[in-house]
Amino acid sequence: MAIADFVKSAGESFRVGWKIESNWTDPVLFATYQVIRPLASLLIVAFIVIIGASVGASANSAFYSQYLAWLIVGNAFYAFVLQIMLGMAILVHVDRTRYEVLKNIYISPGTLHPYVIGRGLVSVVNGAVSVILTLLFSVAIFNGLLHMNIPLNLLNVNLLMLLPAVILGIVSLLAIGYMLCAVNIVSNRMEFILGDSVSGIFFLLGGVIFPIALLPSYVQPISNVLPITYLLNAVRESFGLLPTASYMSDLAYLAVTTLVTLIIGIAVFRLAEQRAKKLGLFDRKSEY
Amino acid sequence: MLPKATPREELLINLRAAYARMWVRLRGSNREITGLVAEIGLPILTIGAYVILYRAIGLPPTAGAAVIIGGAMIAFWTNVLWNMSSQWFWERESGNLEMYLVAPVSRMSVLLGMAMGGSVNTSIRALGIVLLGIFVFQVPFQLADPLSIGLVFVLTLVALYTMGMLFASIFMLYGREAWNTANLLQEPVYFLSGAYFPRIYAPVVPFALQAAGSLIPMTIGLDAIRRLAINGEGIATVWPHILALIACTLILFPLARRALNYMESLGKKEGRLTLRWQ
């Protein structure tokens, strides 16, 4: 029964979140909005590689087309990170300060956790839409329009390898988003920094646009404990852009880092909740 | 009936309003050291990723210098979007907009104050980004003509913040659209302005892209600053950029003024100037 209640509350939260995120405009403009940002991010890195190839930098054209495919996939799936981190980092601030409803949500029986999860799932859906559209547009632009023959065949993706990795990755990102909500419950100065900070760290250290082997050696241990690193490895393996031999180990590392993140996320959220209740922070209003 | 203010009195009160708004911006943005540190440190994460990407594909170190300048200029664009364009939206949400509207000053002076405060604040952050970027990534610069760099930089900021004043006017009646539109104008402008490319006006970049990018003053200014600060070129090579930036300002300022008057009048007619939580 408790699980049914949780699912029902999360579903209602998802419904509210979806309306808040999408009904400010018409569906066509909303869909355009969803695709333009990730596509622009992709075009930035793609043009860097194209410019690199044009000035005759170190390698042959096969290297650049292979690298571009590797980069497109990493960049496309990074949309999950951006959507979840930015969405969940601002959630508490918006509901507490702008709409002033966080206290009402909190005093309703057992709704805060499913509420946060439900709102996080909206970001997941937004991220999924961005990923799919970015991949489709990439193939259309680079192979269809520019005839670059990038080795990226969306019909050959191994879904049995892709889906478990994506599901685990999403769980880990939601757990990190949970931590961001927790920090914002006890703080009122971090909401505009946290999402960008975490997504920036993942962009630099997660192997999104270059292999982590290129990072300085003293930073690589940090990359090795981030779920995003293994998520992107496993995703690229399912696209046939990396050797599939290390898929199981990447998936295992992803599972372990996800589990650890989940445990820490729940613990941090509980601590923040207790502290907020003790200090009366659920209805704190702050303005700049 | 109150006596009509002389032009001198009117100018003085508007300048005081601009100064007051600038002071609030300076004070408000610098009171939190975590914010200052984050606004300098966060762009370095993205810049670092691009510098490493450049190295991965074998581009020369000057490309790293270009991306550091691009990253610093992006700080200004972000400021224009979130602290100029969306500002009337924030003010309406916090209940200040009606106070601005009943104050006996031109709304343009309030926008001017925001622009001055924002440009000073962001210059501090941009300088921090450049210095930190040079320190961390050890990229080469050739400052042969610092005065020209300063001139182009100031002209770029004036044109950019004038564009911010225009956007602020257009965004005036936005509800959640303000937030989403500001979000929407981030990455596409990073792309179109060539902030993270070694240079936007390269033969490999399609002409349509260069033309679209040139509608944003930052693109023009950024290219000129890179030529002066990285390639060591002189002012003679960037005079078309200087003319273009001056033209942008001369076109955008009257447009901003007209847009502000129109949106204010529309807001009054539709009763949307005090509408919150849209």
Side-chain angles (χ1 to χ4, degrees):
Chain A
M1 189 60 192
I3 293 174
D5 286 345
F6 189 97
V7 172
K8 191 179 170 195
S9 299
E12 288 303 314
S13 159
F14 177 86
R15 204 165 69 90
V16 169
W18 179 254
K19 282 183 181 293
I20 292 172
E21 300 235 350
S22 65
N23 74 1
W24 57 275
T25 186
D26 62 83
V28 176
L29 191 62
F30 179 69
T32 312
Y33 169 78
Q34 286 300 98
V35 76
I36 280 186
R37 278 192 75 183
L39 191 62
S41 300
L42 175 72
L43 288 173
I44 290 171
V45 283
F47 265 88
I48 289 174
V49 176
I50 291 169
I51 289 171
S54 76
V55 297
S58 59
N60 56 32
S61 61
F63 164 79
Y64 289 111
S65 54
Q66 186 76 30
Y67 191 75
L68 201 48
W70 187 92
L71 197 147
I72 286 169
V73 170
N75 215 68
F77 280 84
Y78 179 70
F80 278 123
V81 177
L82 269 185
Q83 290 283 354
I84 295 172
M85 293 307 117
L86 298 184
M88 293 185 82
I90 202 75
L91 175 61
V92 167
H93 166 75
V94 171
D95 280 350
R96 181 167 59 189
T97 300
R98 186 168 178 219
Y99 295 122
E100 299 174 27
V101 293
L102 189 67
K103 56 183 180 291
N104 305 79
I105 294 164
Y106 184 70
I107 60 173
S108 310
T111 49
L112 190 59
H113 294 264
Y115 180 76
V116 172
I117 294 290
R119 293 295 299 272
L121 287 174
V122 176
S123 301
V124 172
V125 171
N126 285 336
V129 172
S130 294
V131 170
I132 293 166
L133 292 178
T134 306
L135 289 172
L136 290 173
F137 273 100
S138 301
V139 173
I141 292 171
F142 296 112
N143 283 351
L145 210 63
L146 301 175
H147 306 291
M148 292 179 69
N149 293 324
I150 293 167
L152 188 62
N153 188 344
L154 300 182
L155 298 175
N156 278 353
V157 178
N158 188 334
L159 290 177
L160 288 176
M161 290 168 74
L162 180 68
L163 289 177
V166 170
I167 291 168
L168 281 173
I170 286 171
V171 172
S172 71
L173 292 173
L174 284 175
I176 295 166
Y178 225 57
M179 285 184 229
L180 302 189
C181 285
V183 173
N184 280 328
I185 286 175
V186 292
S187 149
N188 62 345
R189 291 282 184 270
M190 308 282 282
E191 61 271 9
F192 297 115
I193 301 171
L194 272 180
D196 282 325
S197 307
V198 176
S199 53
I201 289 167
F202 285 1
F203 188 67
L204 177 64
L205 303 180
V208 180
I209 61 171
F210 55 83
I212 60 166
L214 295 175
L215 284 165
S217 55
Y218 54 86
V219 184
Q220 287 181 24
I222 304 173
S223 298
N224 290 333
V225 295
L226 297 178
I228 177 84
T229 308
Y230 303 106
L231 167 65
L232 293 182
N233 278 349
V235 164
R236 284 176 177 130
E237 283 149 6
S238 70
F239 276 75
L241 298 169
L242 285 176
T244 52
S246 46
Y247 174 77
M248 288 312 292
S249 66
D250 280 326
L251 198 66
Y253 278 119
L254 178 58
V256 171
T257 50
T258 299
L259 185 65
V260 172
T261 317
L262 199 57
I263 291 166
I264 297 173
I266 292 170
V268 170
F269 196 90
R270 290 252 158 91
L271 279 175
E273 202 179 339
Q274 284 166 12
R275 185 171 168 78
K277 197 173 177 185
K278 196 174 165 189
L279 300 176
L281 303 178
F282 279 112
D283 63 347
R284 175 168 62 179
K285 190 164 162 57
S286 60
E287 295 285 0
Y288 283 93
Chain B
M1 191 175 168
L2 288 169
K4 196 176 181 322
T6 63
R8 186 176 174 276
E9 284 170 338
E10 214 165 291
L11 177 68
L12 277 178
I13 196 165
N14 278 295
L15 287 176
R16 284 173 63 192
Y19 174 77
R21 191 62 190 80
M22 180 182 79
W23 189 88
V24 170
R25 173 131 299 175
L26 289 174
R27 180 85 179 149
S29 300
N30 292 312
R31 65 182 171 174
E32 274 288 316
I33 192 72
T34 45
L36 183 66
V37 170
E39 284 165 16
I40 293 172
L42 282 181
I44 290 294
L45 297 173
T46 312
I47 289 170
Y50 287 120
V51 171
I52 295 171
L53 173 61
Y54 283 139
R55 288 176 186 166
I57 59 173
L59 282 172
T62 49
V67 84
I68 287 173
I69 295 182
M73 290 305 286
I74 276 177
F76 290 101
W77 180 250
T78 310
N79 186 256
V80 162
L81 278 183
W82 292 103
N83 294 99
M84 283 291 294
S85 307
S86 316
Q87 191 63 35
W88 292 134
F89 161 74
W90 301 121
E91 303 289 9
R92 195 177 55 221
E93 289 291 312
S94 55
N96 289 336
L97 184 61
E98 50 259 53
M99 287 190 249
Y100 287 128
L101 295 176
V102 297
V105 292
S106 160
R107 256 62 78 194
M108 288 301 278
S109 63
V110 179
L111 284 178
L112 181 66
M114 282 182 206
M116 290 191 300
S119 56
V120 171
N121 269 341
T122 315
S123 296
I124 296 168
R125 285 148 178 81
L127 182 67
I129 292 167
V130 170
L131 293 178
L132 190 61
I134 292 171
F135 174 73
V136 174
F137 303 111
Q138 301 288 313
V139 290
F141 281 90
Q142 290 184 62
L143 298 177
D145 191 357
L147 276 180
S148 301
I149 297 172
L151 173 71
V152 172
F153 176 70
V154 170
L155 288 175
T156 307
L157 288 202
V158 172
L160 196 57
Y161 277 88
T162 311
M163 184 178 239
M165 290 164 99
L166 174 64
F167 281 178
S169 312
I170 295 170
F171 279 36
M172 193 172 200
L173 301 184
Y174 278 2
R176 277 173 295 157
E177 300 98 312
W179 184 280
N180 289 296
T181 310
N183 254 326
L184 184 65
L185 289 174
Q186 289 194 155
E187 276 82 359
V189 170
Y190 301 167
F191 170 59
L192 288 174
S193 66
Y196 292 124
F197 303 160
R199 55 187 300 200
I200 183 82
Y201 299 113
V204 70
V205 180
F207 175 74
L209 202 65
Q210 295 177 3
S214 301
L215 297 174
I216 307 157
M218 187 171 82
T219 312
I220 303 165
L222 184 56
D223 187 65
I225 292 171
R226 281 171 172 166
R227 283 168 189 263
L228 296 168
I230 299 171
N231 301 350
E233 295 173 20
I235 197 162
T237 57
V238 297
W239 66 264
H241 298 75
I242 292 175
L243 289 181
L245 288 170
I246 293 170
C248 281
T249 306
L250 293 177
I251 294 167
L252 290 171
F253 191 80
L255 275 180
R257 197 180 160 88
R258 288 189 68 162
L260 184 59
N261 288 338
Y262 175 75
M263 295 308 277
E264 187 182 333
S265 142
L266 187 67
K268 282 176 182 168
K269 277 182 203 159
E270 295 182 355
R272 289 165 65 190
L273 288 173
T274 53
L275 200 60
R276 297 174 69 197
W277 301 330
Q278 290 177 75

